[in-house]
Amino acid sequence: MTAQTHTLTTDDDDRGTRLDRWLTQALQARGAEFTRSRIQALITDGHVRLNEGPVLAPSTKVKTGQTYCVAIPAAMPTTIAAQPLPLDVVFEDEHLIVINKAPGLVVHPGAGNSDGTLVNALIAHCGDSLSGIGGVARPGIVHRIDKDTSGLLVVAKHDEAHLGLAALFAEHDIERAYLAVIPGALRPGVGTVETLLGRNSRDRKKMAVIGDTETRPDARHAITHYRTLETYGRDRGRMPGEPLASLIECRLETGRTHQIRVHMHHLGAPLLGDPVYGRGPGLAGLKPGDDAADAARKTLRQFKRQALHARDLGFVHPISKEALAFCAPLPKDMQRLIDALGTL
């Protein structure tokens, strides 16, 4: 993306509006689509000027007749290293790429994961086809799935695709379905979980169901639709006759951090293997001394993550407007888990 300059003047209707909000709307009216967070970064980095001087506060209230100059810098090379890691590419064109992410792969570099991530691999894979995501030549991560969740996610290669995908997610116009394995069974077998989600007040690395937005303004609306696909075995312990485990499908209407994991925990059925919201690798109620039960116990001990897989992904291509739909088969570790449960 080459450097751009926009000159914008306020009028009477704009008076009193926050600068970041006004600039976002004014640029969108010109066909220059920038997120509000991107505009805020431009302001704080000194790229917005009024009367030859920089305006550094996004919360500045505009006045009538002010002329602002917005300098959009050219995309700079990323500081994230390219690493030729294996990628399962499901779809790719000059605008976006759809990946079937392996379990254990972190999406984006961060604390404790400075390299070896999906972004490192994408920079190596895409090379010069990347441009200008947020002013830096790197993949545009529109949504994420957890390190130990497998399955599909879409990544933008440039600003226009990124903004188009972000709009689809904001309007909930993305089809996403996950497969999950839980202990026991959900009652009813088909239903919807609708809650507010926010950071756990006692552990900031966890999310939690929140009672209301008045006490927690950070809480966000979250909706998960689920249905039971299969049940496995029968409990020989505290819940005789009840299924030992179930395979469920979860369709996301919203996409909040840890949404499915928290919602299943909220229903009393945390995902098998979930190290944060679950009950450990075991499964209560297995018949002692039974060969199938012993094999299931061994498989559960070897399963080192939450049993969650992003199977389906569907959306309208933000550039071509073609309807796209993808389905990723279960990874081997989760298939082995389901096969072992199926023998109970």
Side-chain angles (χ1 to χ4, degrees):
M1 183 180 74
T2 58
Q4 304 173 25
T5 300
H6 297 272
T7 301
L8 304 153
T9 302
T10 62
D11 57 30
D12 287 338
D13 292 337
D14 304 320
R15 185 175 55 196
T17 304
R18 280 177 57 114
L19 177 60
D20 56 352
R21 184 187 300 275
W22 175 74
L23 283 177
T24 303
Q25 295 171 345
L27 287 167
Q28 288 176 350
R30 288 191 172 191
E33 296 281 344
F34 290 93
T35 63
R36 190 169 169 184
S37 61
R38 175 66 174 135
I39 294 299
Q40 290 170 344
L42 288 171
I43 294 170
T44 56
D45 289 343
H47 296 295
V48 177
R49 304 179 74 84
L50 172 64
N51 299 330
E52 304 306 318
V55 183
L56 300 177
S59 60
T60 299
K61 301 296 175 56
V62 304
K63 300 177 181 178
T64 303
Q66 291 180 320
T67 298
Y68 290 89
C69 182
V70 184
I72 312 296
M76 300 296 292
T78 182
T79 58
I80 302 173
Q83 294 179 300
L85 305 173
L87 286 177
D88 183 357
V89 178
V90 177
F91 172 87
E92 182 177 12
D93 63 12
E94 65 269 36
H95 309 293
L96 53 84
I97 182 170
V98 178
I99 300 293
N100 180 18
K101 188 186 82 66
L105 182 62
V106 176
V107 171
H108 199 282
N113 298 286
S114 58
D115 60 8
T117 71
L118 177 63
V119 168
N120 295 104
L122 286 170
I123 291 170
H125 175 85
C126 296
D128 294 337
S129 66
L130 299 175
S131 65
I133 301 295
V136 180
R138 58 176 171 79
I141 302 300
V142 186
H143 67 125
R144 303 187 188 194
I145 55 179
D146 298 329
K147 171 186 175 181
D148 290 326
T149 298
S150 57
L152 296 168
L153 77 164
V154 58
V155 180
K157 290 186 175 183
H158 55 73
D159 275 341
E160 187 179 1
H162 192 174
L163 291 165
L165 288 169
L168 292 175
F169 277 93
E171 296 298 323
H172 311 308
D173 285 337
I174 298 279
E175 181 71 21
R176 284 175 291 171
Y178 289 68
L179 293 181
V181 184
I182 59 168
L186 294 173
R187 298 285 187 263
V190 178
T192 296
V193 191
E194 184 171 358
T195 70
L196 296 171
L197 294 185
R199 290 287 171 188
N200 187 306
S201 59
R202 290 172 292 185
D203 184 347
R204 300 297 294 173
K205 294 181 180 180
K206 297 174 65 173
M207 305 298 288
V209 170
I210 305 299
D212 61 76
T213 55
E214 291 185 5
T215 57
R216 288 286 301 276
D218 64 308
R220 304 183 71 188
H221 198 210
I223 303 174
T224 303
H225 305 285
Y226 72 84
R227 67 186 180 105
T228 302
L229 301 180
E230 296 182 43
T231 60
Y232 307 108
R234 286 294 178 265
D235 196 319
R236 303 297 182 92
R238 294 184 302 107
M239 302 288 288
E242 283 295 298
L244 286 169
S246 302
L247 174 67
I248 62 170
E249 176 191 86
C250 294
R251 292 192 174 270
L252 295 182
E253 188 168 327
T254 58
R256 310 305 181 201
T257 301
H258 297 178
Q259 179 173 317
I260 292 173
R261 298 167 67 185
V262 177
H263 273 169
M264 291 303 106
H265 177 267
H266 180 63
L267 294 181
L271 305 185
L272 282 183
D274 193 325
V276 177
Y277 304 98
R279 303 167 181 163
L283 192 63
L286 288 172
K287 182 181 178 181
D290 180 89
D291 288 345
D294 291 342
R297 287 191 190 91
K298 180 178 179 181
T299 303
L300 282 163
R301 286 195 299 268
Q302 295 171 340
F303 192 77
K304 302 298 185 181
R305 67 182 181 98
Q306 62 265 10
L308 186 62
H309 174 68
R311 183 192 62 185
D312 298 334
L313 179 66
F315 57 92
V316 174
H317 194 294
I319 308 301
S320 71
K321 306 306 178 185
E322 177 187 2
L324 301 176
F326 307 99
C327 181
L330 282 169
K332 292 180 180 179
D333 65 340
M334 198 161 160
Q335 187 63 62
R336 282 195 297 268
L337 175 65
I338 290 172
D339 290 344
L341 293 173
T343 65
L344 296 174

